[in-house]
Amino acid sequence: MRIPWEKIKSMFYHAYNSYLDHAYPYDELRPLTCDGQDTWGSVSLTLIDALDTLLILGNHTEFQRVATLLQDTVDFDIDVNASVFETNIRVVGGLLSAHLLSKRAGMEVEPGWPCSGPLLRMAEDAARKLLPAFQTPTGMPYGTVNLLRGVNPTETPVTCTAGVGTFILEFSALSRLTGDPVFEDVARKALRSLWKTRSEIGLVGNHIDVLSKKWVAQDAGIGAGVDSYFEYLVKGSIMLQDEELLSMFLEYDKAIKNYTKFDDWYLWVQMHKGTVSMPVFQSLEAFWPGLQSLIGELDSALRTFHNYYTVWRQFGGLPEFYSIPQGYTVDKREGYPLRPELIESAMYLYKATGDHTFLQLGRDAVESIEKITRVPCGYASVKDIRDHKLDNRMESFFLAETIKYLYLLFDPDNFLHNSGLDFELGTGPSEDCVLGAGGYIFNTEAHPLDPAALHCCSRKQEERRELQDILLNLSEPLPSPQDTQSQETDSETEPPIMDPSESIALKPGSRRKAPLLSCPMQPFSARLAVMGQVFTDGT
């Protein structure tokens, strides 16, 4: 069968050029009226979201132009109310990914890259605008923040579960690239706080009050409002090699299987009782088979994917809600806004199995999107999947996710699928770091992050700490024998503990005791992933 690479590329450029011609600098394109609108913060969002897709499609020249344009034009010091969740996954995630891919795109990188760079500083600036949202008694963030003024005093404390638990990828990447622990710290605190709110049967609800920890919406499932929380526990555990995050997910997975899974569908249930509250399939749930593949649960993933694919073939797309007992759409939830989740799962499952069924889904998707949603000024969301009426919106995720996953499904040789045979070296202080050797982790907006870069910069920060401690120790006067004996006695009773989140920068006039020299950290070793099974050192 013919591989539709060029067709997918032409789809991307029809949408992308329509945005540039009719909507830039607004956030998103309105394809039916051929104009633009601001939706998520007035930051030319579609450009940020599409930037890494340009490189994945091989367009280095446009990547360089847009990366430079964004540096010159985007300013986050604006009086705009922004979604904390959406700003993180689309803006912070998009800029982080573009930063880590900038050398591959042929951009001149500054000394110290990937631990420094203009796109990284933009990502950090955007993330700092979100930090006031985390200043709650629980550590769980508000859903909305004003980029200039912080959290509005009248802001509602109710936010969705995913809005609490979808930060560990971007924020830990920021902390490990920049050396500032505050981002990873707040993301972890929010995750641990949310973990403590699960019900007696191990489930979480849909919306929570971040001040009181009380559940406002108690429907438990894997779809809208919850989805990326589970996704980030799995992907965070892989990217950070973090057992705590994986153990959290595995506990949830047991409860999800026990209470929500029926005939390889996942229903919505009451979080305390486990009784069915909504026997529906939501299109956002279609990410789940792909996530299952990452932890090696392929048999279950394949059966669930088959269920979801039958719905696609019924309508030529996935309606937002689908009644499982009735086998049809749900009233007022008949739309298909060009979502990527089923294509995303197809990409993961094809990579894990080589089964051409997943390529057929890709071809179906290309044909459906092209025939149903293409208009002269881009691609339009489907307002009603039954009669294919269109809506005047093209969300930025169409270029960030849907097109990207389609292209990667049919491009097994793309650098993002690298198995370690190809790599590049860091520059400046990190020139001994191996980068781009594979194992990329996609955030929930399909922005790929390179775990090796995080390790590289973390190691650099550790080396700086160790060197600073040695220099500080050398600058101190030699202690008297009595002091030495006293210190040895103290150390026998209570060994010194160094706060892992302690800043590199010392306060004026302060000194830090040098720790015992540790063995040098081993260089980054690639983790092997075969059929979804993750092998760590010593396996």
Side-chain angles (χ1 to χ4, degrees), residues 357-401:
T357 299
F358 305 108
L359 296 183
Q360 186 57 51
L361 175 277
R363 293 186 184 91
D364 289 349
V366 169
E367 182 178 356
S368 294
I369 292 170
E370 188 71 10
K371 285 187 175 181
I372 297 170
T373 75
R374 184 180 176 118
V375 293
C377 293
Y379 292 86
S381 297
V382 181
K383 189 173 186 177
D384 191 327
I385 201 70
R386 298 170 301 177
D387 58 15
H388 298 165
K389 287 182 181 177
L390 300 179
D391 201 6
N392 194 21
R393 188 171 186 187
M394 188 184 81
E395 291 229 33
S396 68
F397 61 65
F398 178 64
L399 295 178
E401 300 184 77

Side-chain angles (χ1 to χ4, degrees), residues 99-115:
H99 161 72
L100 292 173
L101 296 174
S102 55
K103 186 181 179 188
R104 178 178 287 274
M107 296 192 72
E108 184 176 346
V109 296
E110 64 186 41
W113 180 89
C115 313

Side-chain angles (χ1 to χ4, degrees), residues 408-480:
L408 290 172
L409 172 62
F410 291 104
D411 186 12
D413 297 325
N414 193 277
F415 72 89
L416 287 178
H417 294 314
N418 185 11
S419 60
L421 298 177
D422 184 29
F423 61 87
E424 58 185 342
L425 297 177
T427 58
S430 310
E431 61 186 7
D432 59 340
C433 283
V434 174
L435 303 170
Y440 290 93
I441 301 296
F442 291 95
N443 85 336
T444 198
E445 191 77 2
H447 296 305
L449 302 173
D450 184 359
L454 276 57
H455 179 90
C456 172
C457 296
S458 297
R459 187 181 74 176
K460 177 184 166 188
Q461 303 297 345
E462 290 296 327
E463 289 171 348
R464 285 175 57 193
R465 283 191 180 94
E466 191 165 295
L467 178 60
Q468 184 180 45
D469 289 334
I470 293 171
L471 294 174
L472 284 170
N473 193 44
L474 291 175
S475 68
E476 292 177 351
L478 290 174
S480 64

Side-chain angles (χ1 to χ4, degrees), residues 55-130:
L55 178 63
I56 290 163
L57 268 58
N59 194 336
H60 294 202
T61 304
E62 183 66 1
F63 180 102
Q64 295 171 22
R65 185 190 76 83
V66 173
T68 303
L69 178 66
L70 291 173
Q71 294 170 46
D72 294 338
T73 59
V74 173
D75 181 7
F76 298 115
D77 287 321
I78 49 177
D79 189 4
V80 168
N81 293 324
S83 164
V84 179
F85 170 85
E86 298 290 354
T87 303
N88 176 57
I89 67 170
R90 302 194 197 206
V91 177
V92 178
L95 291 170
L96 278 173
S97 175
H99 161 72
L100 292 173
L101 296 174
S102 55
K103 186 181 179 188
R104 178 178 287 274
M107 296 192 72
E108 184 176 346
V109 296
E110 64 186 41
W113 180 89
C115 313
S116 64
L119 293 172
L120 176 60
R121 288 188 286 274
M122 286 183 69
E124 182 180 5
D125 185 23
R128 286 198 187 280
K129 297 293 185 180
L130 307 181

Side-chain angles (χ1 to χ4, degrees), residues 28 48 87 206 253 266 279 366 437:
E28 291 179 348
I48 295 175
T87 303
N206 197 273
D253 196 34
Y266 293 85
V366 169

Side-chain angles (χ1 to χ4, degrees), residues 171 194 339 411:
F171 275 32
L194 186 56
R339 291 199 188 279
D411 186 12

Side-chain angles (χ1 to χ4, degrees), residues 188-298:
R188 284 189 181 276
K189 184 176 180 182
L191 281 177
R192 289 167 179 158
S193 186
L194 186 56
W195 170 250
K196 293 175 183 176
T197 67
R198 65 197 188 283
S199 70
E200 320 83 62
I201 59 175
L203 297 172
V204 288
N206 197 273
H207 280 74
I208 192 169
D209 186 314
V210 301
L211 301 182
S212 67
K213 286 190 175 183
K214 291 183 178 179
W215 286 101
V216 177
Q218 298 187 0
D219 295 307
I222 60 170
V226 187
D227 47 4
S228 53
Y229 170 43
F230 297 137
E231 177 186 359
Y232 272 41
L233 290 177
V234 172
K235 291 181 176 179
S237 73
I238 297 172
M239 186 175 83
L240 304 173
Q241 292 291 288
D242 190 303
E243 293 183 6
E244 179 188 11
L245 300 180
L246 183 59
S247 66
M248 285 179 178
F249 175 79
L250 293 177
E251 284 299 309
Y252 280 129
D253 196 34
K254 291 177 187 175
I256 289 166
K257 289 174 181 173
N258 285 339
Y259 295 101
T260 77
K261 187 177 181 181
F262 296 88
D263 293 332
D264 298 305
W265 295 96
Y266 293 85
L267 312 184
W268 289 83
V269 302
Q270 210 282 339
M271 67 177 287
H272 295 288
K273 301 175 183 178
T275 53
V276 175
S277 58
M278 288 192 298
V280 300
F281 157 57
Q282 298 180 354
S283 62
L284 285 169
E285 297 170 12
F287 83 101
W288 191 257
L291 191 69
Q292 287 182 301
S293 78
L294 292 180
I295 59 170
E297 294 189 353
L298 277 177

